[in-house]
Amino acid sequence: MAFLVPDRTIYSPWRAKEKLSSSLMVILLKAIMISGRTLGQGANSEAKMSPEFFKATSFCALSEEDYRSLGISKEGNVLVRTEFGEVVVSAKKDVGLPLGVIFIPMGPWANAVVGPETGGCGTPQFKGVEAEVEETKMRVKDVRELFADLKRMGGEAS
Amino acid sequence: MIIKGGFVCDPKNGILGEEMDICIECGKIVEKSVGGDVIDARGMLVLPGGVDAHAHIAGAKVNSGRIMRPEDGRRGIEPRTKLLRPSTGYTVPNCYAMGYRYARLGYTTAFEAATPILESRHTHEELEEIPIVDKGALTLFGNNWEVLECVRDGDLEKLAAFVAWGLRASRGYGVKVVNPGGGEAWGFGGNVKGIDDPVPNFGVTPREIIRYLMRANEILGLPHSVHLHTNNLGKPGNYETTLETLKAVEDITASRDRQVLHVTHMQFSAYGGTGWRDFESKAPEIAEYFNHHDQFTMDMGQLIFGSATTMTADAPLEYGNARLLHAKWSNHDIELEESSGVVPLVYGRKMPINAIQWAIGLELALLTKNPWQVIMTTDHPNGGPFVNYPEVVTLLMSRVKREEELKSLHELASKRSSLPSIEREMDWNDIAIVTRAAPARILGLSEKGHLGVGADGDVTIFDINPADVDPSKDHRKVKEALAKARYTIKAGEVVVRDGDITAVPQGRTYWVDASVPEDQAEKVRADLVEKFAKYYSIQMSNYMVQDAYVTHPRVVKAGVI
Amino acid sequence: MAEDVLCPFCGCLCDDIKVEVENDQIVGVKRACKLGSSKIRGHERTKAPMVRKDEELVETSYEEAYDRAAKILKDAKRPLLYGWCSTVCETHKKGILLAEEVGGVIDSTATVCHGPSIIGIEEKGLAGSTLGQIKNRADLIVFWGANPAEAHPRHTLRYSSNSTGMFTPDGRKGRKVIVVDVRETRTAKNADKFLLIKPGTDYEVISALRMIVAGKGEIVPEKVAGVAKSDLEEAAEMMKAARFGAILFGLGMTHSRGRYKNVDNALSLVADLNGFTKFVVMAMRGHYNVAGFGQVCAWETGFPMSVDFSRGAPYFNPGETAACDLLAKREADAMMVVAADPVSNFPRATVEGMAEIPVIQIDPFPNPTTLLADVVIPSAVCGVEAEGTAYRMDGLSLRMKKVVDSPYPTDEAIIQNILDRVRRLGDDN
């Protein structure tokens, strides 16, 4: 079901029966988030504190149409929100993605919005997380900032 | 160390139950002890350490069995102690449990029955982790492309050179042949149907493969003969293939004082019938043949009721098992070399086929007159786990026990086998032969399986007095005593006392280094360079098992020159 | 020049790498892909051991780091020893012994990758082969939820779709390739047949294929998970028509809804297909020796991962004893991370569980786990600075080489040092 209202448009391509008119702007995209390996992520996976790793993994790829309908400006960022958390990442187009599927490379930015539940098998569900995506002016946190709020006990480890 | 006054059975040296002392110094049996421990063995049975010549105890398929069977891992659990690592598993125990359980049964040597060359590094990684026992591994050759090509080209010398190279590459001990040709055919889902059925794409027959490998084995003068798992194994009516195979090699002679061919887990190859409905034992026919052909040996492959994990390089057989039983199925084909499969199953007393199979193993052992020709195995864990050896011994020693068991089985066990009519009961010397002396002789381990001067100081002492106990009637006592050795002594060190592990030494690994003429070795090398360049998925330089994986080697020399 | 070096990156474990060394420094890497050559050439290292003092990590001696690590493990009631994918089997053996000694839980990165595949194998068994068998024989390759173009770049050329062998002399031309994925990956662009499925529908699609293969296609609806029935029929026909087919599956199968049930169903499909032709299946394992940990753990403990020693004997129950469960439920009260980076690779809420407990890190490289660690012990890079055993994705074991010397101790030596101290602490009690 698509909600097309002028002030706050939510579009859910998986549930929609019709294609979105290209003239409409979408404020909030309901999408399915998947994560996975990429060459850039892999090549820098032993250099995770490097700017290269940041560049390779702190983005969200969207289909061309979803990218356009969200009205993302050049080199713009998106806020990805799931029931487990939210994260700001830069936005990219990927012609290989179908409507309503977004891709974030395996890494700390993707895992900010993945849930801990393992369904009794030990493995969280890293792919197929229901997410909402919107354009944002917020900045992408670097890897240190992402974990800055997790307080260490400090001092003598007991 | 001196073991005083025990009832000693050492059939190799003609000692058939005499009260005598056994002395060990520096890990070897000697004439006279110079001091050390004195073990009072009066009223106890003293035997050489047990030798298992065929068990699946290490390597990729054993570990596949563990990984696919957590339900088996949850059986047989023993926590760690100050001395011991934890034990898990029944049919596929972890490495530590294997060593501990063998030692508790009085076994000091065990050979892994099948390793493909390519995956031998893994086999040795596991063998290294099995404590206490001495060990070795038999290397698979029966479906190897280089072997098939040498046979096709009729180049026996090159084949011998390749066998020598394969043994060195795998740090292997002997030539294992499993369903020759069938493993290659399985590469495209096929099999061979008999010893004259050509192998697809190679145009050679199982008959030719077996004959060539036996001749190569004898050219090299290897300590062990070819160790054969027959074609059509596990199928009704296969006794004909088995006899045909033996007849096909009657003209080949052994180069050493041992058998010329060992046919393994014969129970699975001694079947009559045209299908499962008229399935029956043909053990009497096989035994009769063996009674007239002393150049051949076999092991029982005795079936044990309950859980088993079948695992073999005979992959089409395992696929058949899985289809028949709707069981979990693992398969693993090894490029240019072999195939293999693993299927868990349960042998039931009331299942007609299983009950008949159980009878066949016993018939083979009891109807073959010469105990040196039939050794005791369960083809662990195919017929059942080796921890059941005491049960098998009691079955061989007691007709009463066999009758008790038969009563609890499906009636076809009695109707489709000759077991009920067999009166023979083995004595302690027979048992010493089928569990110690004969397996050592068959493997060509001159320092194992006996207590003569110079033999390894591997001794088992069972708390049973042959003067008081009649194994025929008191089979429960026998089983209880054999399940927990009073003492197991490995290379002169007490490793088990009263059924408890007291020391955990690292055993040695036997492998055979066979020399061949340089020109033949060069021909093989040239072939292999091409095979690695075109077909293998790894580099030739990374293929051979490195010394790091065999930390306590016992290298046996053999060869042409 | 070191020849035939093994690559310490992905589960392909390529063993034909040439590494140029001058004055004990690596100056060139040949034949490796971007992923492998990047690792072999090297990255920024953790220079010295560190311990956390006043909320900051400060450099210290190895001796102090070992002491601190041993005390953390010894004092913990439910220590978790996690990682092991980027180190050699010799380290695994020591790690398992340490876990036994401290009565802890040992788990590998498999539980966030192909752990569901292992559970699937427990249900059904695995009809597999070595990679060379696929290279020499396969005329149909199915990549399911796997993208080797990005994750295993040399796989296709060395082992699968584009390789040549005895019965496959024409390489890619003589083969058909089917790709099943939720997006058109670079791998999908190389396919003869691409099935674009909706995320989380692997189970349905496999079930439909099984029905069609079994001749019960009439009960399959016209569309399954966004795929037309005619496309599924065509794929099933290609599978049955193959002389030797191989399904190579990736995290798309194990990380999606259904998880181990997807794998269970895929393994069943392969077993079914063997009724018609030859078919094998393989998990595309990620790190170069994550498969090795499963092998070592199985032969040492009887179980391949998530092994709990708190009762003195191994206890295995993923979902209860897996790393993510122990952290998410706040059960683990200390954690040792070896050759892995859970802070990057675990869900955020799981990582929060790490932030509340003392963490020891053993790794050559700084990474987000360092940010939460209390003790950091830098080690030599296995396969470059240290030798040892690794298992390829198909279960083949190979020996990794040492190419250059390292000022850092090996993972194995570090764990042995901690183990010695744990034992000494035990003796004092």
Side-chain angles (χ1 to χ4, degrees), chain C residues 88 216 258 269 286 289 372 394:
Chain C
V88 289
K216 296 170 184 165
L269 170 63
N289 199 26
L372 297 195
D394 56 352

Side-chain angles (χ1 to χ4, degrees), chain B residues 60 63-64 66-74 77-80 82 84-88 92-96 118-119 121-123 125-126 129 145 149 183-189 201-202 319 323 327-336 338-339 533-543 546 548-549, chain C residues 4-6 15-16 31 89-90 93 96-97 100-101 118 121-133 135-137 158-159 164-167 243-244 270-272 274-275 278-280 294-296 298-304 309 311-314 316-317 388-389 391-392 394-399 401:
Chain B
N63 227 25
S64 295
R66 295 186 187 106
I67 291 169
M68 73 193 277
R69 297 206 67 187
E71 74 281 10
D72 189 83
R74 292 180 179 118
I77 285 180
E78 294 169 60
R80 74 193 299 268
K82 285 218 157 168
L84 306 184
R85 305 289 296 271
S87 289
T88 59
V92 277
N94 62 340
C95 291
Y96 309 115
L118 182 61
E119 295 187 338
R121 208 174 340 268
H122 179 168
T123 305
E125 280 219 274
E126 291 195 28
E129 293 294 307
W145 286 4
E149 287 168 12
E184 165 51 33
W186 183 246
F188 284 118
N201 301 308
F202 287 88
Y319 176 68
R323 295 282 285 201
K328 297 195 229 187
W329 170 53
S330 283
N331 178 83
H332 188 62
D333 294 351
I334 294 119
E335 63 206 63
L336 288 79
E338 269 302 338
S339 61
K534 288 183 175 170
Y535 308 132
Y536 271 107
S537 65
I538 63 168
Q539 302 296 106
M540 192 164 158
S541 70
N542 288 318
Y543 184 74
Q546 293 86 351
Y549 297 94
Chain C
D4 298 347
V5 172
L6 278 81
D15 74 331
D16 61 342
R31 291 192 180 163
C89 295
E90 289 73 7
K93 291 176 200 168
I96 291 165
L97 185 55
E100 274 180 33
E101 292 269 351
I118 293 166
I121 292 165
E122 290 168 0
E123 302 276 311
K124 282 289 176 331
L126 177 85
S129 73
T130 63
L131 286 163
Q133 190 79 341
K135 162 188 162 77
N136 282 299
R137 297 182 198 258
R158 271 174 70 80
Y159 309 126
T164 56
M166 173 76 102
F167 304 108
R243 194 173 174 210
F244 184 118
V270 170
D272 296 348
N274 273 280
K278 176 80 185 184
F279 239 90
V280 298
Q295 295 289 341
V296 176
W299 78 57
E300 304 235 328
T301 75
F303 307 102
F309 286 106
R311 297 160 177 85
F316 163 73
N317 190 23
T389 316
Y391 282 70
R392 204 166 69 173
D394 56 352
L396 179 68
S397 97
L398 290 165
R399 187 158 187 83
K401 291 174 181 157

Side-chain angles (χ1 to χ4, degrees), chain B residues 243-517:
Chain B
L243 290 175
E244 214 183 330
T245 306
L246 291 164
K247 284 173 189 157
V249 299
E250 278 177 5
D251 61 313
I252 300 174
T253 52
S255 60
R256 295 167 72 129
D257 181 22
R258 55 150 167 72
Q259 77 288 351
V260 71
L261 177 69
H262 179 78
V263 183
T264 191
H265 37 68
M266 185 65 95
Q267 179 270 122
F268 293 109
S269 299
Y271 299 160
T274 56
W276 295 112
R277 284 183 170 277
D278 59 350
F279 180 80
E280 61 177 346
S281 166
K282 287 290 181 186
E285 282 77 355
I286 299 282
E288 182 60 16
Y289 181 88
F290 270 69
N291 287 335
H292 292 96
H293 295 86
D294 64 0
Q295 72 268 45
F296 301 124
T297 57
M298 61 168 134
D299 60 83
M300 292 168 70
Q302 177 59 31
L303 187 139
I304 302 293
F305 294 112
S307 182
T309 303
T310 63
M311 52 179 67
T312 170
D314 193 342
L317 166 77
E318 292 292 21
Y319 176 68
N321 279 346
R323 295 282 285 201
L324 192 70
L325 302 164
H326 303 286
K328 297 195 229 187
W329 170 53
S330 283
N331 178 83
H332 188 62
D333 294 351
I334 294 119
E335 63 206 63
L336 288 79
E337 296 186 5
E338 269 302 338
S339 61
S340 65
V342 185
V343 173
L345 48 77
V346 175
Y347 294 119
R349 288 171 180 272
K350 298 296 183 191
M351 294 290 291
I353 307 294
N354 299 159
I356 298 166
Q357 289 176 306
W358 175 87
I360 292 172
L362 296 170
E363 283 181 283
L364 288 166
L366 294 164
L367 293 175
T368 305
K369 288 176 187 152
N370 180 359
W372 292 88
Q373 276 182 282
V374 193
I375 58 178
M376 192 189 79
T377 67
T378 60
D379 185 18
H380 165 93
N382 283 288
F386 68 79
V387 289
N388 296 287
Y389 285 170
E391 165 82 4
V392 183
V393 169
T394 58
L395 290 166
L396 295 174
M397 297 187 90
S398 168
R399 192 179 182 195
V400 176
K401 162 85 173 169
R402 295 198 292 268
E403 282 170 352
E404 279 175 21
E405 292 293 318
L406 274 170
K407 276 184 213 150
S408 74
L409 305 187
H410 193 280
E411 58 178 14
L412 283 184
S414 298
K415 290 183 178 161
R416 302 258 182 93
S417 82
S418 67
L419 190 64
S421 68
I422 299 175
E423 291 174 4
R424 183 175 169 199
E425 295 181 326
M426 287 192 176
D427 63 16
W428 285 114
N429 287 307
D430 292 330
I431 296 301
I433 293 168
V434 302
T435 61
R436 275 117 173 121
R441 179 172 187 270
I442 286 168
L443 285 173
L445 299 170
S446 57
E447 66 265 42
K448 298 285 185 193
H450 70 103
L451 299 172
V453 169
D456 283 348
D458 299 353
V459 184
T460 321
I461 306 173
F462 290 118
D463 196 357
I464 195 158
N465 189 347
D468 297 344
V469 175
D470 176 1
S472 175
K473 296 194 184 66
D474 303 329
H475 55 81
R476 281 186 189 80
K477 271 190 195 163
V478 169
K479 189 173 165 182
E480 202 179 315
L482 295 189
K484 274 188 169 188
R486 182 70 183 272
Y487 289 95
T488 302
I489 295 156
K490 170 72 180 29
E493 184 177 11
V494 175
V495 292
V496 173
R497 182 177 287 126
D498 297 328
D500 293 328
I501 308 286
T502 53
V504 189
Q506 176 80 3
R508 295 176 303 171
T509 301
Y510 283 82
W511 69 273
V512 170
D513 187 8
S515 59
V516 294

Side-chain angles (χ1 to χ4, degrees), chain A residues 43-122:
Chain A
N44 296 294
S45 71
E46 305 282 24
K48 291 213 185 80
M49 311 310 280
S50 68
E52 292 79 15
F53 183 74
F54 175 82
K55 200 172 158 217
T57 55
S58 65
F59 71 82
C60 171
L62 303 101
S63 72
E64 269 192 305
E65 213 167 326
D66 287 338
Y67 188 96
R68 195 179 58 238
S69 64
L70 277 170
I72 300 166
S73 53
K74 200 163 178 257
E75 291 181 10
N77 295 339
V78 286
L79 176 70
V80 178
R81 188 187 302 119
T82 71
E83 64 169 302
F84 310 109
E86 58 182 48
V87 68
V88 176
V89 280
S90 58
K92 267 192 186 177
K93 282 182 237 175
D94 181 341
V95 291
L97 279 168
L99 276 180
V101 178
I102 60 170
F103 174 87
I104 307 180
M106 179 181 288
W109 288 269
N111 282 321
V113 294
V114 171
E117 166 277 330
T118 76
C121 77

Side-chain angles (χ1 to χ4, degrees), chain B residues 144-184:
Chain B
N144 190 297
W145 286 4
E146 181 69 13
V147 171
L148 302 184
E149 287 168 12
C150 287
V151 173
R152 183 192 62 201
D153 302 341
D155 196 338
L156 184 59
E157 275 70 34
K158 191 165 89 178
L159 176 62
F162 176 68
V163 167
W165 187 83
L167 289 174
R168 195 172 311 129
S170 61
R171 297 292 193 264
Y173 184 78
V175 178
K176 178 76 183 294
V177 180
V178 174
N179 184 18
E184 165 51 33

